[in-house]
Each structure stands twice: as structure tokens, then as C-alpha cells.
């Protein structure tokens, strides 16, 4: 049962947990009352368990731990998407996830209305500030060369480049980056950056993203806004198992 308002995530994992414990303690059936991404009010039901008492009581805490954690992320993400409002700008997550739980936590973000950024180091090339600084390639021709080298080595992957200064944008554009991450830019700086970039690259604002700031960012014309807060700042929600 929901004890507070929430956006649900994690229901498919319940059957997996019950199957594990049920092999030795007796079978239990789970009948979900809603689907993931549903928004519930306090007192509404997520689903019903029926079957072996030993399995239900043994699996209870494991089930609730997963549901409370993942639903907490979905609920926080839903708050952010509501704050962003009616816009074509998409809210992205990051790789700031609990070790071993990335796929589950990113799934929860999607349930809350967010979009998943890259899943790891393998599905997009991302040149961040430390990568560029380590190669002394954060300006001018060396910056453009770093992007071009990445493109030559992995033409099958999209390339995203993090910039923290407006002067970095022209060489990144000249090198053909697919996405430019505008890190810790003010709204005025973002406006200038978006004008410079035009339709030559996708734009992503990151750093200093708060729920209070989202409405003002929604009107700038960004393609994406990324934040790890929907995961690492999310609180567990209150879900309880009531015996009947």
C-alpha cells in the first residue's frame, strides 16, 4: 500500500524475488494493481500477494527495499519533469548511480518521465573536462583535434564534448561533435551558446541544475538538461505490506 503520493517503479522485480524464496518456502502469487509509472495517492494499492506465509514474510523486506528505493527515484524524477513543464527539452539522468544498481535506477528514472543518458563508457564517446585537461586539449586546435581523433577511431558512436567556456564552442563545432554539454553556464551564457551552436549540434545543460531553476531553463531552447539529483537526492518512499 502507498503511504504517500508516489510514482511507481520496480513492480516486475517482485515476482523475481518471490520466485527465489518460493522455491524453498512455498509459492506466492503477485497480482499488481497498477503498472510502473503509475501515480498513486496515499492509501492506494500497488498489488496483492497470496500464497505461502513463510515466503511472504521472508521476502517482505527485500521486496519493500527495492520498491521503496526505485519508486523514490521515479517520484523524484516526476517532480522534476513536472517542474520542467510543457517543453521539447528532455530531462536526462547521469552515471551517478549506486554501484551495481545502474540499470534499475535508470529504469526508475524512465518510469518517472526522465530520459536515460548513456548507460556506460561503451555507448557514447564523452570528452569531459578532465579528459581534455589531461591531454592539454581544452582549447583551439588541440580541442578540435581531440574530437576529430575520437571520430576517426569510433565513427559508429556519437560524440559529446563538455565545455565550460563560450570560446570552446567554435572548435568543437568545427570538429563535428554531436552533442555539446554546457557545464555550469548561467542562463544568459546558455542563451549565447545556443545561438552560437544553432542546429549544428545538440545542446545539453549540466551542472547547477536545481528543480527551482528548471522552469527558466525550459524556455531557452535546449535539447537536453542532465542532472544526477533525480537519483542521488531521491528519498525512499513509504510503502507498507498490510496483512488481511
Amino acid at each position: 500500500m502507498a503511504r504517500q503520493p508516489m510514482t511507481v517503479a520496480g513492480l516486475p522485480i517482485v515476482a523475481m524475488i518471490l520466485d527465489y524464496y518460493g522455491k524453498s518456502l512455498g509459492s506466492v502469487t503477485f497480482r499488481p494493481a497498477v503498472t510502473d509509472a503509475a501515480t498513486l495517492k496515499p492509501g492506494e494499492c500497488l498489488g496483492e500477494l497470496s500464497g505461502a506465509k513463510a515466503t511472504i514474510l521472508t521476502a517482505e523486506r527485500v521486496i519493500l527495499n527495492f520498491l521503496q528505493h526505485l519508486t523514490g527515484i521515479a517520484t523524484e524524477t516526476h517532480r522534476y519533469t513536472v517542474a520542467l513543464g510543457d517543453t521539447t527539452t528532455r530531462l536526462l539522468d547521469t552515471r551517478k548511480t549506486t554501484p551495481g544498481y545502474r540499470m534499475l535506477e535508470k529504469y526508475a528514472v524512465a518510469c518517472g518521465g526522465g530520459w536515460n543518458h548513456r548507460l556506460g563508457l561503451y555507448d557514447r564517446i564523452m570528452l569531459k573536462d578532465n579528459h581534455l585537461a589531461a591531454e592539454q586539449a581544452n582549447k583551439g586546435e588541440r580541442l578540435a583535434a581531440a574530437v576529430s581523433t575520437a571520430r576517426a577511431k569510433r565513427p559508429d558512436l556519437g560524440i559529446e564534448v563538455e565545455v565550460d567556456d563560450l570560446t570552446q564552442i567554435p572548435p568543437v563545432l568545427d570538429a563535428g561533435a554531436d552533442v555539446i554539454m554546457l557545464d555550469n553556464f548561467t542562463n544568459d551564457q546558455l542563451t549565447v551558446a545556443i545561438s552560437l551552436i544553432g542546429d549544428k549540434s545538440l545542446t545539453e545543460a549540466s551542472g547547477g541544475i536545481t528543480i527551482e531553476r528548471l522552469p527558466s531553463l525550459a524556455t531557452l531552447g535546449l535539447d537536453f538538461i542532465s542532472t544526477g539529483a533525480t537519483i542521488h537526492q531521491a528519498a525512499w518512499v513509504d510503502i507498507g505490506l498490510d496483512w488481511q
Side-chain angles (χ1 to χ4, degrees), residues 180-199:
I180 297 179
M181 176 190 284
L182 306 161
D183 188 47
N184 286 303
F185 277 45
T186 66
N187 284 23
D188 288 341
Q189 290 172 323
L190 286 171
T191 299
V192 175
I194 292 167
S195 178
L196 281 172
I197 295 168
D199 61 358

Side-chain angles (χ1 to χ4, degrees), residues 142-165:
R142 290 182 68 90
L143 174 55
V147 179
S148 298
T149 299
R151 175 75 71 196
K153 289 185 176 181
R154 290 301 304 270
D156 57 315
L157 294 179
I159 298 177
E160 179 167 357
V161 183
E162 178 184 357
V163 301
D164 53 22
D165 189 275

Side-chain angles (χ1 to χ4, degrees), residues 81 116 133 140 172 176 195 224 242:
T81 58
N116 295 143
V172 171
S195 178
F224 305 108
D242 296 334

Side-chain angles (χ1 to χ4, degrees), residues 21-230:
Y21 287 105
K23 289 177 180 177
S24 58
L25 298 175
S27 65
V28 172
T29 299
F30 174 60
R31 289 184 292 274
V34 295
T35 59
D36 279 355
T39 299
L40 299 186
K41 300 175 183 178
E44 292 188 309
C45 182
L46 284 77
E48 183 180 272
L49 306 177
S50 60
K53 290 185 292 184
T55 299
I56 293 174
L57 295 174
T58 304
E60 173 185 1
R61 179 44 51 196
V62 179
I63 290 171
L64 291 177
N65 284 349
F66 275 107
L67 288 181
Q68 289 177 292
H69 176 52
L70 298 178
T71 298
I73 292 171
T75 302
E76 185 73 358
T77 303
H78 181 68
R79 290 181 62 241
Y80 273 66
T81 58
V82 169
L84 188 58
D86 185 14
T87 176
T88 58
T89 304
R90 302 303 184 188
L91 182 72
L92 300 177
D93 57 16
T94 70
R95 289 191 304 118
K96 296 174 183 177
T97 55
T98 307
Y101 283 74
R102 177 171 297 163
M103 296 302 289
L104 290 174
E105 292 178 340
K106 281 180 167 286
Y107 170 75
V109 167
C111 289
W115 287 47
N116 295 143
H117 206 281
R118 58 185 183 148
L119 298 177
L121 299 178
Y122 53 84
D123 53 359
R124 181 185 298 182
I125 293 175
M126 190 164 181
L127 301 176
K128 292 182 68 68
D129 54 351
N130 282 342
H131 303 145
L132 298 172
E135 296 298 319
Q136 297 182 333
N138 49 10
K139 292 183 180 180
E141 292 182 2
R142 290 182 68 90
L143 174 55
V147 179
S148 298
T149 299
R151 175 75 71 196
K153 289 185 176 181
R154 290 301 304 270
D156 57 315
L157 294 179
I159 298 177
E160 179 167 357
V161 183
E162 178 184 357
V163 301
D164 53 22
D165 189 275
L166 289 168
T167 61
Q168 294 176 298
I169 293 176
V172 171
L173 284 178
D174 291 342
D178 299 293
V179 185
I180 297 179
M181 176 190 284
L182 306 161
D183 188 47
N184 286 303
F185 277 45
T186 66
N187 284 23
D188 288 341
Q189 290 172 323
L190 286 171
T191 299
V192 175
I194 292 167
S195 178
L196 281 172
I197 295 168
D199 61 358
K200 297 177 183 177
S201 174
L202 297 173
T203 56
E204 176 186 331
S206 184
I209 306 300
T210 63
I211 195 168
E212 294 79 13
R213 189 183 175 194
L214 287 177
S216 67
L217 293 174
T219 63
L220 299 182
L222 290 158
D223 293 297
F224 305 108
I225 298 171
S226 61
T227 176
T230 54

